[in-house]
Amino acid sequence: MRSRVSPADPAARSERSGRSVFAGLSLHELRALLRGDPPTQRPNPRYRAHINSFLLHIRPRTYPASATRVTHTWFLGLLAVLLFVVELVTGVLLMVFYAPTPDQAYASILAISYYTPYGALLRDVHRLAAEAMVVVVVLHMARTFLSGSYKGPRAFTWLTGVLLMVVTLLLSFSGYLLPWDQLAYWAVTIGTSMAQATPLIGAELNLLLRGAAEIGADGLLRFYLLHVLLLPLAGILLLAVHYYRIARHHGISRTTSVEEGNLSPEARQAATQKLDFLPALFLREVVVISVALLALFAAAHYFYDAPLEQQADPYHTPLNTQAPWFFL
C-alpha cells in the first residue's frame, strides 16, 4: 500500500511547491535535468512538462540532431526573437516618459537621458537592440536563403520571414523620428522623400507618412502610433504564424547535406536522430540568451551612446544629412 505523507511534512510541502513552479517536475528530476543526467523515471517526466508549461508547450519536444548544429543556425532566429522582446519591454518603459508632440518630444528625451533613473541606459539599450535586430534579422534571412531552407513546404514560412524583415525595417525607421532632433528630423525627411519616388502613388504615400507637406505634429504622431502600436502588433502576429509553422508543421530545416545530399544510411541516421529539448537544448539556449543580454547591456553601458543632436529645426538643414544607415 502506498504510504501517505503528512501535509505538514516540510519535505512534502517543498516537493509540491517545486512541482507547481517547475511544470510538474519534481525537485529530484529538476536536479537531474540541470546536471545533464538522464530522466529519473519512466515514462520521461520531462515530456509531461511540455504539457503543463505554456513556454515549453510551444516548443517541440525533440529536434533532429543536424538542425541543432551551431554552424547551421548560429542561433540567429533565437537572437532575433530575444531582441524583439527586449524592444517591447524597453519600449513600454520609455513610453511612460515620452510625449509625442513637437513641443515636448525633445524635452522628454532629455528628461529620460538626464533625470530618469537608468533612463540613459534604457534608451541606449533600446536603440542598440533596434540596430542589432536589423542586422540579426537580415543575417537570419541570408542564412535561410543560402542554405536553401526556404524551399518546398517552407515557402510560406519564408514569406512570413520576409514580411517580418520588412516590419523590422519599418520599426527602426518609424522610431528614428521620435527623438525629434536634427538627425532624426532630416533623416526621416530624406526617407519619406524616397517614398515619394514610388511610381503612381509616390505623392500620396509621402503625404500619408508625413501627414502634411512637411513633417510636423501630424507626422510625429503617425510615426509614434506606427512604432508603438501598429507595427508591434503586426510583428507579434507574423512571429506567431512564423513560429507555429516551424514548431508544428515542418520543424527547423536540417543541413543541406542531410536534406539534399547522398548520405550513407549510418550518417543519415545520426543526422536525423531526435534530441530531447530538455535538458541539453534548453540549457544551451539559456546560456545563449544570458550571454547575449550581458553583451547587450555591457555594450550599451560602456561603449554605446544613443545619438541626440540639437532639437529639430525645419528651417535649418544640417550638412551631410543622410537617411538611416539600414536604407543601404
Side-chain angles (χ1 to χ4, degrees):
M1 180 179 294
R2 188 176 179 180
S3 60
R4 302 183 63 182
V5 182
S6 171
D9 186 358
R13 292 201 305 270
S14 177
E15 184 71 16
R16 286 198 304 271
S17 300
R19 287 181 180 274
S20 62
V21 173
F22 299 110
L25 295 179
S26 66
L27 296 180
H28 182 56
E29 180 63 34
L30 181 65
R31 183 164 52 248
L33 187 151
L34 295 177
R35 294 170 57 181
D37 294 339
T40 59
Q41 304 174 15
R42 287 289 183 266
N44 191 342
R46 299 170 189 177
Y47 291 162
R48 195 182 317 125
H50 282 269
I51 301 175
N52 296 332
S53 169
F54 173 75
L55 293 178
L56 291 178
H57 176 71
I58 63 177
R59 300 301 301 268
R61 294 190 303 178
T62 60
Y63 288 82
S66 62
T68 63
R69 296 175 185 172
V70 176
T71 53
H72 177 53
T73 64
W74 298 104
F75 301 111
L76 292 172
L78 175 65
L79 292 176
V81 175
L82 173 64
L83 291 171
F84 184 59
V85 173
V86 170
E87 287 295 278
L88 290 177
V89 174
T90 56
V92 168
L93 295 176
L94 289 170
M95 282 176 59
V96 177
F97 306 98
Y98 181 76
T101 64
D103 296 335
Q104 303 179 54
Y106 186 78
S108 63
I109 295 295
L110 290 178
I112 290 172
S113 301
Y114 296 104
Y115 303 110
T116 304
Y118 302 102
L121 176 63
L122 188 65
R123 181 169 175 262
D124 291 343
V125 168
H126 188 76
R127 182 65 176 265
L128 182 59
E131 299 189 354
M133 185 176 170
V134 172
V135 175
V136 169
V137 169
V138 171
L139 289 177
H140 180 55
M141 296 297 294
R143 196 281 304 173
T144 304
F145 178 78
L146 294 176
S147 63
S149 301
Y150 62 91
K151 301 178 181 178
R154 300 186 181 93
F156 182 77
T157 308
W158 164 260
L159 176 61
T160 60
V162 172
L163 294 177
L164 279 169
M165 183 175 68
V166 173
V167 169
T168 300
L169 295 174
L170 292 177
L171 275 169
S172 295
F173 180 59
S174 59
Y176 217 82
L177 180 64
L178 301 189
W180 201 248
D181 62 347
Q182 282 287 77
L183 173 64
Y185 182 89
W186 289 103
V188 173
T189 298
I190 295 175
T192 52
S193 298
M194 294 169 61
Q196 190 172 4
T198 305
L200 301 179
I201 61 170
E204 292 76 9
L205 183 59
N206 183 39
L207 183 61
L208 180 65
L209 289 173
R210 294 184 177 183
E214 303 294 336
I215 298 177
D218 290 340
L220 177 59
L221 183 60
R222 293 183 185 201
F223 272 70
Y224 177 74
L225 293 177
L226 277 174
H227 190 69
V228 305
L229 184 61
L230 182 60
L231 291 175
L233 289 177
I236 292 172
L237 177 61
L238 286 170
L239 182 60
V241 175
H242 187 78
Y243 181 76
Y244 180 81
R245 295 278 304 181
I246 295 173
R248 293 290 181 258
H249 279 256
H250 48 68
I252 296 179
S253 64
R254 293 169 291 187
T255 57
T256 306
S257 61
V258 175
E259 294 202 345
E260 301 180 8
N262 296 321
L263 297 179
S264 64
E266 294 78 11
R268 182 170 295 278
Q269 181 179 3
T272 57
Q273 179 185 1
K274 298 293 185 180
L275 299 180
D276 290 339
F277 176 71
L278 294 174
L281 302 182
F282 170 75
L283 295 178
R284 187 169 67 174
E285 289 188 0
V286 169
V287 171
V288 171
I289 291 173
S290 302
V291 172
L293 288 177
L294 178 62
L296 177 64
F297 277 85
H301 182 70
Y302 292 107
F303 307 108
Y304 183 83
D305 291 316
L308 185 66
E309 298 184 357
Q310 296 178 345
Q311 187 171 0
D313 184 359
Y315 302 103
H316 176 67
T317 305
L319 297 175
N320 302 321
T321 303
Q322 52 186 328
W325 63 267
F326 47 82
F327 269 71
L328 294 173

